[in-house]
Amino acid sequence: MTQDIAYWREQVFARITEERLTELVLELCNIPSPYGYEKEAGQYVYDWMKREGFAPRKVGLTEERFNVIGTLRGAGHGRNLLFSSHLDTAGPSGSPHDTWLYRDLDARFWHQTWLEDGVFYGQSVENDKGPMACFLLAAQAIKEAGAPLLGDVILTACPGEMGQEPVDEFVGLPYVSKETGAEYMMVHGGIMADYGIAAEGTDFGVSWVEAGKAFFKMTVLGSGVYTPVITHTAEMSRHVNPIVKAAALIERLNDWAIAYERQYTRTYPGGTVIPKVQIGAIKGGHPHFIIGGADSCSLYLDCRLLPGMKPAEVAAQLRRVIRESGVEAELELFLFRQGYEAGTEEVAPFVDAVRASHQAVFEQELELSAPVFSSMWRDHSVFNEYGVPSITYGPPRRTPSLDDLMACARAYAAIALEVCMQEAHES
């Protein structure tokens, strides 16, 4: 049997059809899977893999939130390639807290995926079940074509990628992320991959570096005072009400965030990281009892980090901001996740394979992705943490067209052939 990759690309591409892709995308992406509630979508992927002969397994911390791992087996003496996308999506989940986040709880974008005039719409197809459908279809086509793979193609679907983290009263398994998702999978899933792809939207650019993140809780202290007896001050930092004090601190934090971003922007071989900061939540007082003010008001900060950066470095800067603001406040770190970059030498053969595959599909050079895609969190950071040289690569992040997802499925198939038809050379 021929080992000519160009021949097998042609055979495989012929089996990736618009009809099959559209059906899979619309079925998978129209299964609701807001973070914490990934079970139904995970079961669909499990059943699909079982039906297609990929011998899937469920590997999870609980029965409600599990990773799905399937394998297209090779001959056993080639390179193994890991594909991964996440099951969880953003958007309203039916929680009473949904109104804290979203203006329109019933917006179609959050709840449905649809194809209109050749373009897919909906949060689920964008992030991240559209790319997942692409690599599933790619693996199906490779299997049907009978390509003589030497290594395995490992297909995975993970919960808990979107960034929810336990804090304060929001605790328990629904709020756990990587520890039930990619992290759990790498520890307990028996993953033996030579390379990995976080299959997510990158506008068909590539990156193999990712920012880390530190979440801080900043609690502004004051005193709850009955409205008829409160005394206002013109200087907000000296106000008795901690919510008013927080306004003074927020202004300082905004100035610091702009400077932080400029100070820490770095360009690596695998992409540019622009670490940004955002005040993602604020909590103080009770909406149903506002006559007495509050003794404290908390700000919750998402601070992105350079690979290898320690959160203590950021904490020191935040304490200085607090001091300079004149506001009495306490600082607490409640989440730290390290960002990683794949080793340049280790990832280079894989990037070459992705480059060759990209060229075969698009007839143009592969480029590094925009900095936004290397400045967020994606699960290839976990794979790189565990020594699997990994990248992120995929279709347009926003409103991918059917043509985009067809090209993505072909690109994923070409990458799998390029990697898994190679002999593994022992080091």
Side-chain angles (χ1 to χ4, degrees):
M1 185 177 291
T2 181
Q3 292 292 126
D4 179 26
I5 291 178
Y7 169 81
W8 287 110
R9 272 201 305 262
E10 183 179 345
Q11 296 301 308
V12 171
F13 287 3
R15 290 165 171 79
I16 298 173
T17 68
E18 291 185 354
E19 181 179 2
R20 280 182 163 184
L21 180 60
T22 300
E23 180 181 7
L24 182 56
V25 167
L26 293 180
E27 285 188 1
L28 175 57
C29 295
N30 277 301
I31 299 172
S33 55
Y35 57 75
Y37 301 93
E38 304 95 339
K39 182 178 181 179
E40 186 180 355
Q43 186 63 50
Y44 175 91
V45 174
Y46 177 89
D47 292 341
W48 186 93
M49 287 189 186
K50 185 175 182 179
R51 187 169 64 248
E52 297 300 326
F54 295 118
R57 295 175 292 127
K58 296 179 183 178
V59 176
L61 188 60
T62 71
E63 293 182 357
E64 300 298 315
R65 304 187 70 192
F66 51 84
N67 300 273
V68 183
I69 305 172
T71 308
L72 174 56
R73 296 287 181 192
H77 50 89
R79 299 286 189 186
N80 299 332
L81 176 61
L82 167 67
F83 282 99
S84 189
S85 292
H86 58 88
L87 292 160
D88 51 325
T89 61
S93 64
S95 164
H97 302 127
D98 284 345
T99 55
W100 297 4
L101 292 170
Y102 307 107
R103 291 183 182 181
D104 185 356
L105 301 184
D106 298 318
R108 187 181 183 189
F109 173 82
W110 295 121
H111 302 286
Q112 288 184 311
T113 291
W114 68 100
L115 180 63
E116 184 178 320
D117 297 328
V119 177
F120 285 103
Y121 296 90
Q123 204 272 336
S124 184
V125 69
E126 293 181 353
N127 189 28
D128 175 36
K129 290 184 281 185
M132 184 187 297
C134 290
F135 73 67
L136 292 175
L137 190 64
Q140 179 191 51
I142 293 170
K143 185 174 185 290
E144 288 183 356
L149 302 181
L150 304 181
D152 298 344
V153 181
I154 305 165
L155 314 169
T156 67
C158 301
E161 192 270 355
M162 291 291 289
Q164 73 278 11
E165 302 288 355
V167 65
D168 296 345
E169 67 269 32
F170 302 99
V171 295
L173 288 172
Y175 298 100
V176 173
S177 58
K178 322 306 178 223
E179 287 74 23
T180 194
E183 192 89 29
Y184 190 93
M185 181 182 77
M186 293 303 290
V187 174
H188 298 283
I191 301 293
M192 292 184 286
D194 294 283
Y195 302 115
I197 297 180
E200 295 214 43
T202 64
D203 301 341
F204 290 119
V206 66
S207 173
W208 55 94
V209 64
E210 205 72 21
K213 55 186 175 181
F215 291 177
F216 291 93
K217 177 183 177 181
M218 191 175 285
T219 302
V220 179
L221 305 176
S223 297
V225 177
Y226 184 40
T227 305
V229 299
I230 194 166
T231 300
H232 293 289
T233 60
E235 190 176 349
M236 288 192 294
S237 64
R238 300 176 63 84
H239 204 283
V240 67
N241 187 319
I243 300 172
V244 177
K245 282 185 176 181
L249 183 54
I250 288 171
E251 185 175 10
R252 294 284 188 136
L253 286 170
N254 188 64
D255 292 340
W256 170 79
I258 294 169
Y260 175 87
E261 181 180 323
R262 291 172 179 164
Q263 178 184 355
Y264 286 99
T265 294
R266 297 286 188 280
T267 297
Y268 300 85
T272 296
V273 176
I274 304 175
K276 294 179 180 280
V277 176
Q278 176 172 222
I279 301 171
I282 185 167
K283 181 171 70 174
H286 271 300
H288 67 275
F289 186 74
I290 63 173
I291 65 171
D295 289 340
S296 66
C297 176
S298 295
L299 309 177
Y300 299 81
L301 278 68
D302 174 4
C303 302
R304 299 302 162 125
L305 309 174
L306 296 175
M309 192 173 174
K310 302 295 191 294
E313 184 174 349
V314 181
Q317 295 187 33
L318 289 172
R319 290 191 181 98
R320 185 176 69 248
V321 172
I322 292 172
R323 287 195 304 271
E324 293 175 352
S325 74
V327 172
E328 184 184 4
E330 298 173 347
L331 184 69
E332 173 190 349
L333 172 72
F334 69 90
L335 183 282
F336 169 51
R337 295 196 183 279
Q338 185 64 268
Y340 290 88
E341 180 185 21
T344 302
E345 292 186 8
E346 292 81 3
V347 80
F350 184 38
V351 174
D352 288 343
V354 175
R355 182 177 291 111
S357 301
H358 183 90
Q359 177 70 39
V361 173
F362 295 98
E363 298 183 346
Q364 61 186 36
E365 287 295 316
L366 176 67
E367 297 181 355
L368 288 175
S369 61
V372 64
F373 298 117
S374 42
S375 303
M376 57 177 67
W377 175 274
R378 287 184 171 176
D379 280 341
H380 64 300
S381 236
V382 177
F383 309 148
N384 281 316
E385 175 189 2
Y386 283 90
V388 179
S390 298
I391 66 165
T392 184
Y393 172 83
R397 178 61 181 269
R398 304 299 180 196
T399 56
S401 68
L402 177 56
D403 288 344
D404 290 331
L405 294 191
M406 284 291 292
C408 183
R410 294 187 187 108
Y412 287 160
I415 294 168
L417 294 172
E418 195 76 34
V419 171
C420 299
M421 289 180 69
Q422 294 182 32
E423 289 278 357
H425 302 290
E426 294 189 14
S427 56

